[in-house]
Amino acid sequence: MEGIWLALGFVCSSILAVTLIPSLPAPFAYTPLMLILGVIVLHRVSIAHGVVWLLLSGVLFLHGDNMPLHTMSYIAAAIVGAFFAARTFAKRSVYALLGLGTIVGGVFIATSWLGNAVTLFFGRDDVVRLSAHEAQSTFILLLVGLYAGFILSVALRRWFERIFYVAAGAR
Amino acid sequence: MKRFFRTSRIDKRLRSAAIFFGVVVLYALLRAVPPVSRVFAYGEHIVLVAGTAVGSVIARATTSEDSLTAQLDICTNEVRMVTAQDALLRQELRNVDELEALLGYTRIAAHPMIAARIIERSLPEAGLVVIDKGTSDGIVVGSAVVVGDGQLFGVVATANTITSTIRITHNAQSKIPATILGRTRTIGLVEGQEGSVLHMAYIPEDTTIDVGSVVATSGLDGALPPNIVVGIVTSVSRQDTAPFLDALVEPLFDAREWTNVLVVRN
């Protein structure tokens, strides 16, 4: 059931990521929604689900015209995120989540810039490059989003626990 | 051992992740089926309209209209709009006069248009949007896409059966042969660049081009119809090393504010 709920969440958030978020004025338009949720899933649900989330984000939905670059960035983020989620940031604290987000965001931006450098080297003009101010906004919004997501996920978990506790008690 | 793997927590997680992957891939495959795609496209358009409304509210809240700069921007935009309308009306009047004089009747050349909804947007710099109409609706790659009262929004970059991608004029790949409204000779190439302002290049040195002139498609490349307004010239500069002038052209629309477009069938 968890997989199906996550899939529904993925579909809904991917729709929001290509419709609602880019319609907002800058810097809110740079909110990396799929990356934020991917890191939260990686940290709070499971590494396998988080890796699938990030890989699907890179392959299926976002930035069709920029697919090779974005796919590469998401794959790198998924690999590094899985490693650090298992080893360094295994604790479920907000600090661990923010630490994981910093690493994943850093790798994502670094890989994007590496892709930019490769396209520049080969003289490709048909790709959209991640500018410095866009990267800066993306990184800050990633950390803000992770913090807000952590608070929301804790509140939701408590709410669900309370509901299930009452239901179990009533039975 | 087998039993351990069947019931272990790791195995359950992997199975759940596989279900997650499968459901999302199934959704992606279903999206390629036209009737299902139409339903999703309609839903996405509604979310996009809501996002546009939210974006406008945030933009209004963060920009104080009381400030002198904001008032100046509003007035400048109004002047640009009036200038563009004036130029269009003059052009229309001249057409009417010429046709009345030569043929004795008025004929307005009109291109059939296809109305489409925007269902996806890229990041602002990318300058790409996806519409809910594709080749099955008669969309052809290279067609002009207009908004409002005939301002060039972009060009169809790619089209599949059910959706098409529009390259907005400020996209870095966008190159549109253009002229000053009312002239037939192509005088330059309007290119997208970083930000919303466009760059008009390869303008011959002997061309008369002033700040405030209305730039429109020349129609001489065959793909785009003539006289679709691209924007207004905001500055003109001379190149030191080549016999050309450069101009900055400001579009008359904010791409983020539009949720419906018209595709011109040329």
Side-chain angles (χ1 to χ4, degrees):
Chain A
M1 236 5 224
E2 192 180 41
I4 293 171
W5 282 117
L6 271 174
L8 287 175
F10 182 88
V11 169
C12 292
S13 48
S14 71
I15 290 172
L16 290 179
V18 294
T19 54
L20 196 138
I21 303 286
S23 305
L24 301 176
F28 305 107
Y30 301 119
T31 308
L33 184 67
M34 299 308 285
L35 197 60
I36 292 171
L37 295 176
V39 173
I40 291 174
V41 171
L42 195 66
H43 189 249
R44 294 198 69 81
V45 181
S46 84
I47 291 172
H49 289 95
V51 167
V52 170
W53 185 291
L54 290 172
L55 291 181
L56 287 174
S57 302
V59 174
L60 283 183
F61 291 103
L62 300 172
H63 310 291
D65 276 34
N66 249 15
M67 186 170 265
L69 284 185
H70 277 271
T71 307
M72 200 174 70
S73 305
Y74 274 104
I75 289 171
I79 292 168
V80 174
F83 178 79
F84 278 93
R87 306 269 171 132
T88 318
F89 301 110
K91 279 189 179 174
R92 292 195 167 189
S93 67
V94 70
Y95 304 107
L97 180 66
L98 291 177
L100 184 63
T102 306
I103 299 278
V104 170
V107 167
F108 183 83
I109 290 168
T111 322
S112 299
W113 276 343
L114 186 71
N116 289 355
V118 171
T119 56
L120 273 174
F121 182 77
F122 287 106
R124 288 273 305 272
D125 284 334
D126 56 339
V127 288
V128 181
R129 299 193 173 94
L130 188 73
S131 64
H133 92 275
E134 191 185 319
Q136 189 186 348
S137 307
T138 301
F139 192 72
I140 293 169
L141 286 164
L142 170 68
L143 295 184
V144 172
L146 286 176
Y147 186 67
F150 180 84
I151 293 170
L152 196 70
S153 65
V154 169
L156 275 176
R157 199 185 62 195
R158 280 186 190 152
W159 187 68
F160 274 114
E161 275 174 2
R162 210 178 304 141
I163 286 175
F164 284 119
Y165 176 74
V166 170
R171 209 186 302 160
Chain B
M1 197 67 177
K2 257 184 188 174
R3 192 183 165 83
F4 169 76
F5 276 115
R6 248 204 314 271
T7 55
S8 72
R9 195 176 165 77
I10 294 172
D11 192 35
K12 274 183 188 167
R13 287 281 184 212
L14 286 178
R15 225 181 305 158
S16 172
I19 291 170
F20 169 33
F21 181 81
V23 173
V24 175
V25 171
L26 183 70
Y27 162 75
L29 292 174
L30 275 174
R31 284 220 52 175
V33 181
V36 183
S37 169
R38 296 264 185 246
V39 174
F40 277 115
Y42 184 69
E44 285 179 1
H45 177 71
I46 290 170
V47 182
L48 189 130
V49 170
T52 307
V54 172
S56 301
V57 170
I58 293 173
R60 215 171 295 148
T62 51
T63 313
S64 166
E65 292 198 3
D66 297 332
S67 72
L68 284 174
T69 318
Q71 283 182 15
L72 184 66
D73 284 345
I74 292 164
C75 292
T76 310
N77 280 336
E78 278 176 6
V79 168
R80 284 200 191 110
M81 295 295 283
V82 171
T83 312
Q85 282 171 0
D86 182 53
L88 275 171
L89 286 173
R90 280 172 194 275
Q91 170 67 16
E92 290 287 326
L93 196 64
R94 211 182 72 182
N95 281 346
V96 170
D97 287 347
E98 280 177 7
L99 290 168
E100 277 182 347
L102 289 171
L103 302 170
Y105 67 91
T106 305
R107 183 172 65 87
I108 301 167
H111 296 274
M113 304 223 188
I114 303 166
R117 299 185 182 106
I118 296 175
I119 55 169
E120 284 180 24
R121 281 199 176 109
S122 65
L123 287 172
E125 274 77 8
L128 296 167
V129 295
V130 178
I131 56 169
D132 66 342
K133 295 284 161 64
T135 49
S136 60
D137 304 291
I139 302 282
V140 179
V141 173
S143 303
V145 181
V146 297
V147 289
D149 51 354
Q151 297 151 26
L152 187 69
F153 182 78
V155 173
V156 178
T158 57
N160 61 38
T161 322
I162 41 183
T163 60
S164 307
T165 304
I166 309 299
R167 188 183 291 131
I168 305 175
T169 48
H170 70 252
N171 179 296
Q173 303 305 308
S174 172
K175 287 176 176 45
I176 298 154
T179 183
I180 299 299
L181 196 67
R183 295 184 200 165
T184 50
R185 188 167 66 106
T186 298
I187 64 155
L189 204 60
V190 175
E191 301 168 328
Q193 55 178 13
E194 203 173 315
S196 60
V197 179
L198 311 173
H199 174 233
M200 192 167 179
Y202 308 115
I203 308 167
E205 260 186 334
D206 59 342
T207 307
T208 313
I209 179 167
D210 304 311
V211 171
S213 301
V214 178
V215 177
T217 53
S218 64
L220 295 182
D221 67 336
L224 304 176
N227 292 332
I228 300 178
V229 174
V230 177
I232 288 181
V233 176
T234 53
S235 77
V236 182
S237 59
R238 188 172 296 276
Q239 286 186 19
D240 295 332
T241 53
F244 296 113
L245 299 174
D246 278 329
L248 290 180
V249 178
E250 192 160 334
L252 299 170
F253 64 90
D254 181 353
R256 226 181 35 231
E257 288 176 357
W258 292 90
T259 56
N260 294 287
V261 294
L262 289 171
V263 182
V264 181
R265 295 174 75 171
N266 195 15

